[in-house]
């Protein structure tokens, strides 16, 4: 394992093509997510051009995971019935080769979700997306953040992210002012975005759903995940310029996800 | 049963009177609905001038159904506790002669909700509202759509809608670019609306709640349901003209539901 | 017990200092609240400058209540798993001396929540916040309102509020066009606000969360609760002036919570 994964050059034209392909495919994203952000997450998917289906209880979540284009498993409020639903969906997604994203929200001090996150990380997720504190916990090298907020920087979690990627086979995305996406061998940083995403609830959770939406749009999950982050950041930058505070930011962000063209993404994305 | 139900002439002045009567009555609408759209549904009801109560768990939902002005049963995320709650509410609404609306969300491939929808359709709902694919499944002549999205047209579901109405005694409303409302003998089409309602989550689900709000406002459930659809469509048309995308559409739509006057409804509704 | 608690003079400068202190502390508010308003409540907290954590199921809610800055227990949709979660959180908050707020939503005719509200009122909440009908029921002198809406005035509930405060040791806040906050010995009225808060869902529920956010910011819970109400009212007044209806009011309100400065609060608050 290299101490530092080499940075990977990705032509912004590929981002534009992947966005175009996502919209053309209109992927049906099944979300098993937390009770706080279901509405915003569905609206983010619809605004971006995907379809959303929040099929999330035992007896249906497995059947649907076999039909869905991709699946999001977000551990924000994992009550007992939802834990059963998630296990059913993960098993069905794996059997059907449906790509899926794991978002280990607020793991660390909270025992049930932390144990569940380790269980799911071992079940071959396509992507793991979290904040630096969450990625450090999942990699076995941190104690967790403050509720849903990270107390660690993206840089501090970079080594853990690569280790986690190599161990699980997942693309690992670490969200922060600059995002890091790595598969353990290649790493890409996505710049831009807006601090307003931390002043609305679901700013991170909905990014996990957008990652799921992009996975069917490109055969390389690293490229799909980078494209998802660049798209999300570009829309957030645009929305911040049109808003007074978090209240006006949220609808402006949904508008921007709807209106941002592949060409605009190509022209404004900043990767390194 | 006629192969084609005759179209029914409805004076737009009746729509205006029914809206006026709904607002004057401020009906208390009990919603047993899916986790994704509870917030938006409550806000739609409040903006329109109704009251919303999301009393939805066993031990309380039956008691409340006896007090409520009307009840909505929406099958979008029917977990086990909610299924028990819905059965309790349907029984109490029936016993108390409280009008109620069934919204059979995404039935077809998903077994639990499909079985539940057939059970409730046989329990004398006042109105059944769905997209064309859902109505075809409930009438026994279709396989279902793509998640919450219809893969069939309103026209393709017209015959099934009339059959379903005659079999269940319910008014059946089929939503699409043009809506069809029928009681099996009479049929009305409502024109207008906005495709933006398909780019926000809950655009169809909240229409079910508005149907429930209008039921106490007119003795003929067909007239009440047509009035609800015409009101909803007129507000959507107005909101689309004031928005850039789905993000700005949602608040503009709530404003329009609040501001649209009976006179404006009378002047702009297009029925056939 | 005095028949009429003397009004209490509170310098508006104290409101400004308490707001400043709340934002500097960025309290982590754990919300056990109803399914309809989780998203809006979290967004209100984030806009105001607090942090939100909706950790709300058995096995985690107690652990988190020991870490949180304060806790909100809102009885809007208390299903069986949430009731267990609330009991766990209340016990842990009490053991850890974490301040907590009880919001007895829609008690009266609904038996499960009414019984639960009496149980929690006896468990030494720091603050009890409700509408007049809810406070009357909890004090033992009323039958309840119409769903979540009050059918009694703040004035009619003033005596009951003081009795309830003296009996439970809690600060009691009664919400209405003018809010009353009392600890049984001292009483303060907060003027202002906006009727638009009754045309969006969660207008009252999120105020309970803001009370929780302010509790760690001042040692006197009466002062903290008055400051929370004055802040909330000032933001609502400002938002109403910038909105066309309830749809545009909601984002304008979140912006106002984010933008309102301590100095603006000091200059515009009206207490009596």
């Amino acid at each position: 394992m290299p101490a530092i994964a080499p940075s990977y050059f990705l032509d912004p034209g590929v981002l534009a093509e992947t966005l175009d392909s996502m919209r053309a495919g209109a992927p049906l994203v099944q979300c098993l997510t937390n009770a706080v952000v279901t509405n915003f997450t569905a609206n983010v998917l619809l605004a971006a051009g995907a379809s959303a289906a929040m099929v999330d209880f035992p007896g249906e979540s497995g059947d649907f995971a076999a039909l869905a284009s991709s699946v999001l498993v977000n551990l924000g409020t994992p009550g007992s019935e939802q834990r059963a639903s998630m296990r059913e969906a993960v098993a069905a997604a794996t059997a059907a080769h449906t790509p899926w994203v794991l978002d280990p929200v607020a793991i660390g001090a909270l025992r049930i979700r932390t144990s569940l996150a380790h269980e799911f990380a071992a079940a071959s997720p396509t992507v793991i997306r979290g904040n630096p504190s969450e990625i450090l916990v999942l990699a076995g090298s941190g104690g967790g953040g403050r509720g849903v907020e990270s107390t660690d920087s993206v840089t501090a979690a970079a080594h853990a992210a690569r280790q986690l990627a190599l161990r699980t086979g997942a693309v690992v995305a670490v969200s922060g002012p600059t995002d890091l996406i790595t598969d353990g061998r290649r790493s890409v940083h996505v710049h831009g975005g807006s601090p307003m995403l931390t002043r609305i609830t679901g700013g991170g959770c909905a990014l996990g759903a957008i990652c799921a939406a992009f996975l069917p749009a490109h055969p390389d999950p690293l490229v799909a995940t980078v494209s998802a982050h660049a798209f999300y950041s570009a829309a957030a930058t645009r929305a911040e310029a049109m808003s007074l505070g978090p209240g006006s930011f949220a609808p402006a962000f949904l508008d921007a996800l709807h209106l941002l063209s592949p060409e605009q993404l190509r022209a404004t994305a900043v990767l390194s």
Side-chain angles (χ1 to χ4, degrees), chain A:
Chain A
M1 192 184 73
I4 299 180
S7 170
Y8 177 72
F9 176 74
L10 212 158
D11 187 306
V14 175
L15 306 177
E17 287 160 25
T18 310
L19 172 57
D20 206 37
S21 168
M22 186 279 287
R23 286 189 176 140
L28 183 54
V29 182
Q30 180 182 6
C31 299
L32 300 95
T33 190
N34 71 76
V36 190
V37 304
T38 46
N39 183 274
F40 183 67
T41 301
N43 277 330
V44 162
L45 287 169
L46 290 170
S51 292
M54 310 335 239
V55 180
D56 182 12
F57 57 90
E60 287 194 354
S61 69
D63 285 357
F64 203 83
L67 304 172
S69 309
S70 57
V71 178
L72 168 69
V73 176
N74 172 301
L75 303 185
T77 55
S80 60
E81 190 165 5
Q82 198 189 36
R83 296 197 292 275
S85 169
M86 287 174 168
R87 289 191 173 104
E88 193 178 303
V90 165
T94 303
H97 303 290
T98 308
W100 63 285
V101 175
L102 173 64
D103 191 335
V105 179
I107 60 172
L110 296 167
R111 290 168 291 176
I112 290 174
R113 68 186 68 202
T114 305
S115 156
L116 201 60
H118 285 296
E119 175 187 333
F120 287 148
S124 299
T126 318
V127 173
I128 299 171
R129 189 216 74 83
N131 68 36
S133 293
E134 292 156 356
I135 297 302
L136 281 162
V137 171
L138 206 52
S141 39
R146 180 172 177 271
V148 300
E149 292 169 12
S150 186
T151 51
D152 301 282
S153 72
V154 172
T155 304
H159 182 69
R162 288 189 297 267
Q163 286 184 301
L164 183 62
L166 291 171
R167 194 181 82 212
T168 60
V171 167
V172 174
V174 193
S175 301
T178 293
D179 304 315
L180 168 68
I181 294 100
T182 180
D183 62 3
R185 296 169 293 106
R186 300 169 294 170
S187 292
V188 179
H189 288 91
V190 177
H191 301 267
S194 165
M196 275 294 156
L197 285 171
T198 67
R199 298 323 302 169
I200 61 170
T201 194
C205 296
L207 173 54
I210 287 291
C211 290
F214 274 73
L215 283 175
H218 197 283
D220 181 344
L222 182 88
V223 173
T225 306
V226 170
S227 300
H229 279 72
F231 170 61
Y232 203 78
S233 287
T237 300
R238 178 171 171 153
E240 188 187 325
M242 301 183 65
S243 54
L244 298 170
S248 47
F249 175 79
F253 180 56
L254 294 170
D255 282 351
L257 290 167
H258 184 70
L259 296 169
L260 195 83
S261 69
E263 174 51 30
Q264 289 167 327
L265 177 59
R266 196 201 57 72
T268 61
V270 182
L271 309 179
S272 72

